[in-house]
Amino acid sequence: MRDDHSIEQDWAGYSETEHATWRALFARQKGLLPGRAADAFLNGLSRLPIFGEGIPDFDALNEVLFKTTQWRLVAVPGLVPDEVFFDHLANRRFPAARFIRRPEQMDYLEEPDIFHDVFGHAPMLMLPAFADYMQAYGKGGLRALRLGVLERLARVYWYTVEFGLVQEKAGLRIYGSGIVSSRSESMFCLEDPSPHRLAFELRRVLRTRYRIDDFQECYFVIRGFDQLLELAEIDFTPIYRSVETLPDIAPGDLSADDRVITRGTGAYHKTKS
Ligand code: HBI
Ligand code: FE
């Protein structure tokens, strides 16, 4: 392992069982995502050498990704320390786990694996606005560590990059990597009546706790990816200060100022049944 925690992907070292796990995960999500995933996600996926046959080769991916938005994937053994993670993002490198889940973990695992990191994250990095937002998050993460406000900033990443929804003309769509890489949550987040779907509001997000052990009870909806680019351009320091004394909000709670996005007309349309 290098100082920045990166390792070789060693693509030739994957076993047939590992490629078979990828194939099964890919086939399952591919069928679910038309009509559910954001256009930008589907478009990014279609332009990258991410296929159903087996685990992608980072060298081939990086050739396309780097040419498009100057991002690249670097292989890591698993979770890396916050500071290392942010430093990679600030330099337009996405640390992606080399390992794939075991066959008995098809539906759930705690740590991000290569399917989550590559299938879930790489397609959005093909969109210039999103690519710039991710880099800004890395820089902001390094600042937040110094200011002691990482717990609050991490919620912005969670509710956008990992579990974000976007309002498109055709309806509500998924762009969060934690959702697009999960069979059950990609249905739950759009179709289940129970979770709150709220218009994205920065101060509200900074205060909202999240669940790591179950489906989200709350999703935040952006108007489009320009909204993320706006976040990349503002100074968070006065905003941290303005919410410093305000209490956290539980993920299942609603407050009077929340703008609830209904799933009514134009929300989610099935394109096939
Ligand atoms: N490391 N490999 C990896 N992937 C992540 O998503 C990740 C990480 N380290 C820290 C981290 N995420 C989060 O704690 C930050 O977003 C706050
Ligand atoms: Fe992730």
Side-chain angles (χ1 to χ4, degrees):
M1 189 171 77
R2 306 181 190 102
D3 287 348
D4 68 357
H5 289 244
S6 68
I7 54 176
E8 289 301 317
Q9 183 192 15
D10 186 22
W11 186 81
Y14 290 113
S15 69
E16 184 42 42
T17 310
E18 290 172 320
H19 284 299
T21 299
W22 176 281
R23 279 199 292 280
L25 289 165
F26 184 94
R28 203 161 82 161
Q29 290 316 99
K30 189 80 183 158
L32 275 170
L33 293 180
R36 289 192 175 90
D39 277 345
F41 176 87
L42 295 171
N43 184 45
L45 182 62
S46 74
R47 291 158 63 208
L48 283 168
I50 298 179
F51 305 114
E53 291 99 85
I55 296 173
D57 182 339
F58 287 2
D59 289 339
L61 276 176
N62 282 339
E63 211 167 294
V64 180
L65 186 55
F66 193 79
K67 227 184 281 169
T68 311
T69 57
Q70 288 73 59
W71 272 78
R72 69 176 100 235
L73 304 177
V74 293
V76 290
L79 286 175
V80 299
D82 290 337
E83 192 165 6
V84 173
F85 182 65
F86 296 138
D87 189 63
H88 278 300
L89 300 185
N91 290 288
R92 294 174 97 89
R93 295 185 301 262
F94 189 81
R98 179 172 70 181
F99 79 98
I100 194 157
R101 67 196 73 184
R102 296 191 306 274
E104 64 272 23
Q105 298 171 305
M106 288 298 282
D107 292 307
Y108 182 75
L109 84 166
E110 261 165 51
E111 262 198 55
D113 72 342
I114 192 171
F115 184 74
H116 167 83
D117 281 339
V118 172
F119 184 91
H121 285 281
M124 290 307 300
L125 290 171
M126 291 285 283
L127 183 73
F130 194 89
D132 289 353
Y133 171 68
M134 282 287 272
Q135 179 178 24
Y137 179 80
K139 293 179 181 172
L142 293 170
R143 272 193 301 273
L145 272 174
R146 288 195 294 273
L147 293 169
V149 294
L150 183 58
E151 192 182 359
R152 283 191 150 175
L153 179 66
R155 294 166 180 165
V156 177
Y157 188 86
W158 189 265
Y159 284 118
T160 58
V161 176
E162 294 290 347
F163 290 94
L165 299 180
V166 57
Q167 185 73 65
E168 293 189 343
K169 280 203 188 69
L172 212 51
R173 294 290 184 269
I174 306 161
Y175 71 91
S177 55
I179 312 176
V180 291
S181 61
S182 159
R183 192 191 77 88
S184 47
E185 195 150 2
S186 51
M187 295 186 279
F188 174 87
C189 73
L190 294 175
E191 290 142 72
D192 196 275
S194 69
H196 302 308
R197 298 171 189 84
L198 306 177
F200 184 94
E201 206 275 305
L202 180 57
R203 279 162 233 266
R204 169 61 154 96
V205 172
L206 287 167
R207 295 174 56 199
T208 309
R209 293 198 303 266
Y210 55 79
R211 307 199 55 146
I212 58 165
D213 59 339
D214 202 348
F215 294 142
Q216 302 305 306
E217 294 173 74
C218 184
Y219 298 93
F220 288 92
V221 182
I222 56 170
R223 296 182 306 271
F225 295 102
D226 286 355
Q227 200 176 348
L228 297 185
L229 209 47
E230 285 167 28
L231 289 181
E233 283 159 4
I234 59 171
D235 179 7
F236 276 38
T237 311
I239 301 170
Y240 293 137
R241 211 168 296 132
S242 75
V243 295
E244 200 179 309
T245 57
L246 300 177
D248 280 347
I249 300 170
D253 284 0
L254 275 184
S255 69
D257 304 330
D258 291 336
R259 195 156 65 77
V260 176
I261 308 287
T262 58
R263 295 173 311 129
T265 320
Y268 165 70
H269 295 296
K270 272 205 166 80
T271 51
K272 53 183 174 191
S273 53

